[in-house]
């Protein structure tokens, strides 16, 4: 089972059981907190992922506020809406999934800032001079997430747009239709 399949299974269950929560137009934080439970149940099923934690708005990296370097080489503090990571327990494979959630009525500027963050978060520290990683100390800037997910809720059109990022690139899109 890979990271995307785990997310897709958890998201499918979440959408089928928590539709009324989404339809009530609660905050992204509330929706992410609910999705967290479904992700935890899925990762618990696979020994490969049992060491991972699902956290909402987690903003620490080895005791420091998480930062990334964007495409303009600006250092930006980052707090993802939801992440799956080992909380530093597995230094070589700490970061599994980073998810950014937006409502469709948010500005394109905010949506694109989330996408830019996912691009930076999913870049590999080993393929870029900006990040140092020796397997013992954490990189100064957070990166190396295996999968980035942009999750946009469009209530008026009753769809969820999902974009998948790997290695700093958009690698796929999916649209989930909300049931009536």
């Amino acid at each position: 089972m890979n990271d995307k399949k785990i997310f897709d299974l958890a998201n499918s269950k979440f959408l089928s059981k928590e539709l009324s929560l989404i339809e009530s137009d609660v905050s992204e934080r509330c929706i992410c907190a609910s999705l967290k439970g479904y992700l935890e149940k899925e990762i618990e099923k696979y020994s490969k992922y049992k060491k991972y934690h699902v956290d909402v708005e987690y903003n620490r990296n080895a005791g420091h506020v998480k930062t990334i370097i964007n495409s303009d080489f600006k250092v930006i503090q980052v707090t993802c809406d939801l992440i799956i990571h080992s909380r530093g327990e597995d230094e070589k494979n700490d970061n599994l999934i980073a998810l950014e959630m937006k409502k469709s009525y948010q500005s394109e500027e905010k949506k694109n800032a989330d996408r830019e963050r996912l691009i930076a978060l999913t870049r590999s520290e080993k393929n870029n001079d900006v990040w140092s990683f020796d397997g013992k100390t954490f990189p100064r800037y957070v990166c190396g997430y295996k999968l980035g997910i942009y999750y946009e809720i469009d209530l008026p059109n009753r769809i969820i747009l999902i974009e998948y990022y790997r290695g700093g690139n958009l690698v796929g899109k999916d649209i989930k239709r909300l049931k009536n």
Side-chain angles (χ1 to χ4, degrees):
M1 183 66 60
N2 69 29
D3 48 15
K4 183 180 177 300
K5 284 217 182 269
I6 286 173
F7 171 77
D8 289 341
L9 284 169
N11 185 52
S12 180
K13 292 173 185 174
F14 166 73
L15 290 174
S16 71
K17 296 189 182 214
E18 303 294 341
L19 185 58
S20 64
L21 180 75
I22 295 168
E23 290 175 328
S24 65
D25 202 23
V26 296
S27 72
E28 295 162 9
R29 186 177 308 133
C30 181
I31 295 169
C32 283
S34 183
L35 177 57
K36 172 186 174 177
Y38 293 89
L39 287 163
E40 287 171 332
K41 286 176 187 170
E42 285 305 315
I43 64 173
E44 190 61 32
K45 294 177 184 177
Y46 306 99
S47 59
K48 178 180 177 180
Y49 298 106
K50 284 187 186 235
K51 66 184 171 225
Y52 289 98
H53 305 273
V54 183
D55 289 312
V56 175
E57 296 202 6
Y58 190 90
N59 70 343
R60 291 288 183 253
N61 185 36
H64 303 285
V65 173
K66 284 186 182 236
T67 57
I68 58 170
I69 294 183
N70 70 7
S71 59
D72 297 326
F73 294 98
K74 259 177 86 172
V75 176
I76 298 171
Q77 289 187 354
V78 62
T79 303
C80 289
D81 291 326
L82 185 145
I83 61 173
I84 301 177
H85 62 143
S86 76
R87 293 186 188 156
E89 295 164 16
D90 183 342
E91 294 164 344
K92 291 183 179 178
N93 296 299
D94 184 37
N95 300 325
L96 187 61
I97 296 175
L99 181 141
E100 293 288 358
M101 185 178 287
K102 279 286 177 265
K103 302 280 185 82
S104 62
Y105 55 75
Q106 294 287 331
S107 71
E108 285 303 311
E109 184 179 340
K110 288 181 180 181
K111 293 176 189 180
N112 288 334
D114 277 1
R115 289 177 172 113
E116 185 75 25
R117 202 167 19 262
L118 290 167
I119 289 168
L121 287 166
T122 59
R123 283 188 191 128
S124 171
E125 69 279 344
K126 294 173 185 154
N127 298 327
N128 194 318
D129 294 338
V130 176
W131 296 284
S132 62
F133 187 78
D134 61 10
K136 296 179 183 172
T137 57
F138 286 99
R140 182 172 175 197
Y141 306 108
V142 179
C143 59
Y145 278 86
K146 306 294 183 249
L147 179 65
I149 299 169
Y150 174 78
Y151 195 97
E152 184 175 312
I153 300 169
D154 183 347
L155 272 178
N157 292 309
R158 303 197 57 76
I159 61 171
I160 306 289
L161 167 67
I162 304 170
E163 297 175 354
Y164 299 98
Y165 293 83
R166 288 194 191 276
N169 297 299
L170 174 65
V171 295
K173 291 183 180 184
D174 196 5
I175 293 178
K176 303 288 184 194
R177 301 218 176 268
L178 299 176
K179 295 179 181 174
N180 287 323

